[in-house]
Each structure stands twice: as structure tokens, then as C-alpha cells.
Amino acid sequence: MLYIIRRIVYAVISLFGVSVAAFVILRVLPGDPALLMVGPMATDEDIAAMREYLGLTAPVPVQYTRWLSTVLQGDFGQSLRFRDDVTTLILDRLPATLELVLASIVLAALIAVVIAVISVLNQGTLFEALSSFVGLIGFGIPNFLWGLLFIVLFGAIARVMPVSGRMASNMQVPDVTGFLLLDSLLDGNFEAFKSAVQHLFLPALALAIPLAAMLLRTLKSSLLNVMQEDYIFTDRMKGLSESYIVCIRALKNALIPTLTILGVQFTFLVSGSIVIEKIFGWPGIGLLALTGIQYRDFPLVQGLIVVYALVLISSNLTVDLLYGFLNPKIRYA
């Protein structure tokens, strides 16, 4: 419990530091949001009035204090571009990004675990050599190139998979959680669920392949190291099958370093999904961030940065707590 409390305190301090850095950097960068708001034909008086309206004439510390006081109340302010509440905009789009990222992590983990286990069970065979080659290819090609390749192959040439949006335009489900897969199941609409899976598969796979290659290399190496442990030798002496030893006994401990990568990569996937969202027209916070940066939308970008930081801290804390579950020998001071 003391460990968790200490981590929460560290999280609050980290969030405060991120908010200060984001607030200052956005105001140091060139460009005037007031000018973007009033347009190129505006007079100096119009620009000055808009700057006064946006609160940009006050000193930066005063601006930050005002913003922080509203954030502590759960209010990130109003978007300059969309003229809507920033919190509402982020909450509306965040489930789409999280659904995409979580689906890519599941795909990457399944691919890595299956290939790593089969490779360890078939050491010295052609399959092991092919798995190493596949891992090298997957790691060497960035996710946006996989996305473009999938759009060409499955969207333009074969035309078997949708390459834009989250669901067919003629289908709708009640917005309960924001996650279309879950909402369609809760509604009992299996046609909508099928459509959501089809729209999700290609962008999630594009994000998953480089991550799967990274996980494969780490997991395979960890499995080979664990297979040299004394308790594995004891299991073999007991007559346990090699498949049981690898899949049940060794895999649990081998997953610990892999879990570290997943925790770190989760945040990179959330922030790195911007390009994939753009390519596939996925309505997540990535596209929202691009719009906010383009129009110097201070409240929107600041809110998104805080959300990204919160996701990073939460994922790291979750990974640390899972360590104890996977390996009871780990104790937190």
C-alpha cells in the first residue's frame, strides 16, 4: 500500500511538471492563435481584442495559474478551433484511440507468443529460421508503411476490407462506453460488431506488426534463458511434456521482461497512432491533436498533453503492479 501511495504522489508531481512544460513551450513557439482566430484580413485592433478575449495578454505565470485552477475542477477550457469544451472533445475521441491501441497490443501479443513458443519448441528447424526473418522484416518496416500497404492490397486491389472509419455508415449502436466493439455486443447487434471488427483489423494490425516483432525477439530470448533454469530441469525429470513446460511453466516468468516493453510501448502506441489514424481516417485523439497543433489551439493541445501523460503514468503503474502477480518473488519496498 505504501508503494502505491508513493507512486501516486510521484504521478501527481510528474503531471504538474508536464503541464508546466507544455504550457510554457506552446507560448514560446512562433505563431499567434489570435491571428488564426480572426483571419488574415483582421486589423491590429481586432487581433489585440482577440488576444485580450483569450487571456493572452496576461503574464505566462498568471495564465498558467488561471488554467490550472480550472483543470483541477476537471475543466480544460474551451477549444479555440471547435468552440467546444476540451474535456468533452477528448472524452468523445479517446475511446476510439484506446480501442485501436488495445486491439493492436492484443494482436501483437498473440503473434509474438505463438511464434516464440513454436520457435522454442522447434529449435534448429526451418520454422525457427523463418520466425527470425519474419521478426526482422516486421521490426524494420514502420507501422505507417504497413498501413499504406494494407490499404493498397486489401482496400484498392482486393477490396475485401474497409480502410476508413470505425463502422459502416448505415449502422449505429448506442454510445454507452465509446468502445464500438463493446457497445455493439451490449446492444446485441452482431452485424455492427462484425463491421466494427472489420474496420478495426487493418489499422490495428499495422500498429501491431512492429510491436509484435519487438516482443517476439524479447520473449524468445527470455524463454531460452528460462529453459536453462534448475526448475525446468526438475520438471523434465518429473516426466512433464516439453509443451507443458514451455507454455505453462516457462512462459509465465519469460513474460516479465516482455511486460516491461508492453508498458512502455502502450504510451508510444497512443501517441504514435496519429499517423495511422490519419491514414485510415480513424476518429481518435490523434487527428484531434493534429488539428489542435495546426490551429495553435492552446487549451486543446494542453489538455491532450496532460491526457497523454496520464496514460503513460497509469500504464507504468499497471505494469509495476503486474510484476508482483507474474513473479511473487518481487517485493516492493
Side-chain angles (χ1 to χ4, degrees), residues 102-146:
L102 291 174
S104 68
I105 287 178
V106 171
L107 282 174
L110 287 175
I111 295 171
V113 169
V114 170
I115 296 179
V117 167
I118 296 177
S119 298
V120 171
L121 289 173
N122 296 273
Q123 297 182 52
T125 64
L126 178 62
F127 181 87
E128 184 184 19
L130 287 176
S131 68
S132 299
F133 177 74
V134 169
L136 182 63
I137 295 297
F139 190 74
I141 301 178
N143 51 41
F144 70 89
L145 286 182
W146 285 112

Side-chain angles (χ1 to χ4, degrees), residues 203-222:
L205 184 61
L207 272 178
I209 291 178
L211 176 59
M214 185 185 304
L215 296 178
L216 172 60
R217 295 171 63 178
T218 304
L219 182 57
K220 182 179 176 182
S221 176
S222 298

